[in-house]
Amino acid sequence: MMQHTYDSLPGKPISLWLDTTPQTNFPSLADNLYVDVAIVGGGIVGLTAAALLKEQGKTVAVLEAKRIVEGVSGNTTAKITSLHTLIYAYLIQHFGKEKAQIYANANETAIQQIANFVQDKQIACEFRRTAAYTYAESDEEVDKIHDEVEAALKLGLPASFTEETPLPFPVKAAVRFDNQAQFHPRQYLLALARDIPGDGSHVFENTQVLDVSDDEPCVVTTNRGTIHAAAVIVASHFPFNDKVLYATRLKPHRSYVLAARLAEPVPQGMFITTDSSHTMRHHSGSDGEFLLVGGEGHVPGQDGDTIERYQRVEQWAREHFNVKSIVYRWSTQDNRSLDRLPYVGRYSPVSHHVYVAAGFGGWGMTNSMVAGMLLRDLILERENPWAEVYDPNRINLKSVPEFAKQSAQVAKHFVGDRLTVTDTVERGEGKILNTEDGVVAVYMAEDGSLSALSPACTHLGCFVQWNSAEKSWDCPCHGSRFATDGTVIHGPALKNLEKVNNSFIEG
Ligand code: FES
C-alpha cells in the first residue's frame, strides 16, 4: 500500500456537496426577539423541523453557531433509505414486532415526505429513486441476510433476497429495498433554508447558543442576544448543553469518504456491507458521475492514525472498482444511541418545552425527517404514533450493558489518556507533550510556529488526541473536535481549548 502524508492524500479535502454549492450568508441575531419555536442547530434536523413548523403557521428561529449545513449534514453520504444496514431482525427480536413496525413505518413515511418536499417546493437537488442493498461478503453472513429479508417482509417493507447487485464484483447475498432515494443534501437543505425567513421566522448564522432555560417562555441565550420562545428544539447533533444525560448515552463515530471517478460505469444504487465497514453510492450531477466510497469508521480520538484510514478506503476502492481518479475526500461524524434507536422527544424526563433529536447512528436522512415530523406534532400537541419508540427518556434495560461499556470507555479516557505522552513534534503535526509545566497539546505549523493548548477537552475534561488527516484535536469521550488553534469545530464542547504559554518549548 502506498504510504500517504497529509499533503499526498488523494482528492480535494472538502465534501462534494460543499464544493458544488455556494456558501450561505444569513444574518446574525441582532435584536432580542420572540418566536414560537427556537431551533438550536442549522443542519438537516433543524431546517426540516423549521420548514414543517412554519408550514403549520408557527414562527421559528434557526440558530447556527457557524454556517448552516456545513457540519454533519454537509458531509453525509445522503442515502435516503429505511434499510439501515441490518436492523429489522434486531428490532423484532429486542423490541417486538409492533415497535419494529413503527420504526419501519416512520422511515418509509420519511422517504415519501422528502419526495413531497422536493416536488412541492420544486427543489433541484438531483433527487432520484433507486434501490438500496446490504450485502454479505462471506458465506457465514448469508443467514443474516435471510433473517433481515424475512423480518422486513413481515413489516411490509419493499424487501427482497438477491444474489445479484449492480456492483462489478460478486456478493454472497444481499437484501434489496426498492423505491428508496438519494439526493444532493446541500442543494435540498439550502432550498429549505431559503423559504424559512419571513412572516416572523428567521435563520441566524454565526449565532452561538450558550444556554437554554425551560421556562414559560423559554430563554435562549446566545452570544448575540436573547430569544424568548414557547418551545426549543436542540438539534445540535450532540446535544450542545449536555453534561450528563446524553454524554453517557451517545457514542460518537467517525468515518471517511472518497468521491471517485471510475473508468467503468458507476453502479446505480446504494450499498453497504453487513458490518457497515464499507458503504457506496452513485452520484451524478452537472459535475459528472461519481462513486462515493466510505468506511473505516471508529471512535474519534481513538484507534490510530487517521491518514491510514483514508489510505485503507482508497486501497479498498481500487481493489473493488476501476478507479480513474479521486476527486474529493472528506470525513463525517455521527452518534450512536445505546439501543440503536434515535432519541427524539422531550429533552429530559422533567422537560416541559425543550426537545431534542440525536443519535441517528449514521441513518440521519430519514431519521431527521422522522424527528422533524415527530417534534412538530409534540409541539403542536398532536398524537404521533412514533413518539414512544423514539422517546429519549425510554427505559430499556437491554441498553444497560452497553451503557456500562460506554461509561467505562469514558472513564478510561479520563484516566488513561494522561499517560499517552511523547516529547517531540514535527512540522505539520500535533502531539501531546509532557513538559515540566505539565501535559500540553502542541501543534507545529509548516512555518515552524507553535500553538500550545491544554489537552483537557472543555466539555468534561478528557484528553484530546491528534487527528493527522484532518489536522484537528479530537476528543475520544463524546466526539468534540478542535482546530489547531483550539477553536471548537464540533460539539458538545462550547468553549475553545485553553491556550498555554509555549515559552517552555525549545524551538
Ligand atoms: Fe466530552 Fe470531550 S469530554 S467531548
Side-chain angles (χ1 to χ4, degrees):
M1 179 166 62
M2 187 186 159
Q3 293 301 305
H4 282 301
T5 60
Y6 176 84
D7 292 325
S8 72
L9 279 173
K12 205 169 163 182
I14 183 172
S15 82
L16 187 163
W17 322 124
L18 279 157
D19 199 47
T20 54
T21 43
Q23 199 188 43
T24 52
N25 189 23
F26 289 97
S28 302
L29 177 65
D31 291 314
N32 297 347
L33 62 91
Y34 177 89
V35 287
D36 294 325
V37 186
I39 298 171
V40 185
I44 188 166
V45 174
L47 294 169
T48 302
L52 290 165
L53 284 159
K54 189 174 176 187
E55 256 181 14
Q56 298 299 311
K58 294 288 179 191
T59 57
V60 299
V62 176
L63 300 154
E64 169 56 48
K66 295 176 183 147
R67 296 280 175 202
I68 62 165
V69 204
E70 288 195 355
V72 174
S73 304
N75 289 283
T76 167
T77 50
K79 295 170 166 179
I80 309 167
T81 177
S82 57
L83 178 58
H84 297 172
T85 314
L86 299 174
I87 195 165
Y88 294 103
Y90 161 86
L91 289 180
I92 290 176
Q93 189 190 348
H94 289 86
F95 297 89
K97 183 168 175 248
E98 200 181 318
K99 289 188 175 165
Q101 184 74 66
I102 289 170
Y103 188 82
N105 292 352
N107 282 279
E108 277 289 305
T109 304
I111 299 172
Q112 189 52 48
Q113 178 60 47
I114 293 170
N116 294 347
F117 262 174
V118 170
Q119 188 172 355
D120 297 347
K121 295 173 183 287
Q122 295 286 298
I123 302 174
C125 60
E126 289 143 24
F127 178 91
R128 63 166 69 180
R129 292 286 191 168
T130 188
Y133 300 82
T134 299
Y135 70 88
E137 296 173 291
S138 68
D139 290 326
E140 295 74 60
E141 293 172 324
V142 172
D143 282 350
K144 290 185 193 166
I145 298 289
H146 280 296
D147 291 349
E148 187 69 0
V149 172
E150 191 186 327
L153 287 172
K154 263 189 214 159
L155 303 172
L157 288 159
S160 57
F161 179 92
T162 180
E163 290 172 349
E164 303 288 325
T165 74
L167 291 168
F169 50 86
V171 304
K172 296 292 179 186
V175 47
R176 170 183 167 134
F177 273 27
D178 286 316
N179 212 23
Q180 310 294 291
Q182 62 183 40
F183 63 5
H184 186 309
R186 261 181 71 90
Q187 287 176 345
Y188 168 80
L189 290 169
L190 297 188
L192 288 194
R194 272 193 296 273
D195 284 353
I196 292 168
D199 303 323
S201 291
H202 309 265
V203 174
F204 294 119
E205 294 188 320
N206 294 314
T207 302
Q208 187 186 18
V209 176
L210 304 173
D211 196 23
V212 171
S213 80
D214 191 348
D215 289 314
E216 291 183 4
C218 298
V219 182
V220 181
T221 309
T222 82
N223 60 344
R224 306 275 185 166
T226 301
I227 292 188
H228 290 87
V232 177
I233 294 174
V234 175
S236 53
H237 195 236
F238 200 112
F240 85 101
N241 47 349
D242 177 70
K243 295 280 187 207
V244 179
L245 210 51
Y246 292 95
T248 50
R249 289 203 253 157
L250 286 171
K251 189 170 180 185
H253 185 83
R254 197 155 186 80
S255 56
Y256 301 82
V257 186
L258 301 175
R261 301 233 191 245
L262 301 188
E264 61 187 350
V266 179
Q268 304 283 320
M270 307 180 289
F271 311 88
I272 193 163
T273 52
T274 50
D275 60 358
S276 303
S277 59
H278 291 98
T279 173
M280 293 132 269
R281 68 158 270 200
H282 167 268
H283 167 72
S284 120
S286 54
D287 40 351
E289 275 200 305
F290 290 92
L291 178 76
L292 309 189
V293 193
E296 285 295 327
H298 67 118
V299 176
Q302 287 186 32
D303 305 328
D305 188 61
T306 48
I307 287 178
E308 287 176 14
R309 291 185 181 276
Y310 274 119
Q311 276 175 222
R312 289 196 290 268
V313 176
E314 181 190 1
Q315 185 183 14
W316 190 90
R318 290 188 185 281
E319 283 169 4
H320 289 77
F321 299 93
N322 191 350
V323 173
K324 192 157 66 177
S325 63
I326 291 167
V327 185
Y328 297 102
R329 70 172 194 267
W330 69 92
S331 62
T332 189
Q333 191 158 316
D334 200 8
N335 298 309
R336 296 176 167 182
S337 72
L338 298 178
D339 59 8
R340 297 184 63 188
L341 291 170
Y343 304 127
V344 181
R346 283 187 207 282
Y347 191 97
S348 79
V350 295
S351 297
H352 295 291
H353 310 293
V354 180
Y355 301 83
V356 71
F360 297 155
W363 299 104
M365 296 299 101
T366 52
N367 272 318
S368 59
M369 178 55 83
V370 173
M373 296 170 79
L374 177 49
L375 294 176
R376 171 199 64 194
D377 291 349
L378 291 175
I379 288 168
L380 296 174
E381 299 184 7
R382 290 179 184 165
E383 285 290 313
N384 184 304
W386 312 331
E388 187 190 341
V389 166
Y390 280 80
D391 183 357
N393 305 299
R394 59 185 174 264
I395 297 172
N396 177 11
L397 292 178
K398 293 185 190 76
S399 324
V400 170
E402 195 51 40
F403 174 92
K405 238 194 310 181
Q406 165 75 351
S407 300
Q409 234 351 305
V410 169
K412 172 175 151 297
H413 284 291
F414 277 120
V415 182
D417 289 348
R418 284 158 170 74
L419 304 175
T420 59
V421 292
T422 55
D423 59 3
T424 56
V425 59
E426 305 284 329
R427 281 169 194 250
E429 180 190 43
K431 272 199 175 166
I432 304 289
L433 298 188
N434 201 0
T435 75
E436 284 177 6
D437 295 321
V439 182
V440 183
V442 176
Y443 171 69
M444 185 186 281
E446 294 298 342
D447 66 3
S449 59
L450 289 164
S451 72
L453 304 162
S454 161
C457 173
T458 56
H459 178 227
L460 289 175
C462 293
F463 270 22
V464 294
Q465 299 289 327
W466 179 241
N467 175 342
S468 55
E470 320 292 334
K471 294 204 184 235
S472 63
W473 294 105
D474 296 0
C475 180
C477 285
H478 314 106
S480 289
R481 300 181 60 232
F482 304 87
T484 52
D485 66 356
T487 311
V488 176
I489 302 172
H490 193 284
L494 285 174
K495 290 194 188 133
N496 300 339
L497 291 178
E498 202 180 310
K499 289 201 191 316
V500 170
N501 182 338
N502 65 8
S503 58
F504 55 84
I505 299 171
E506 290 175 25

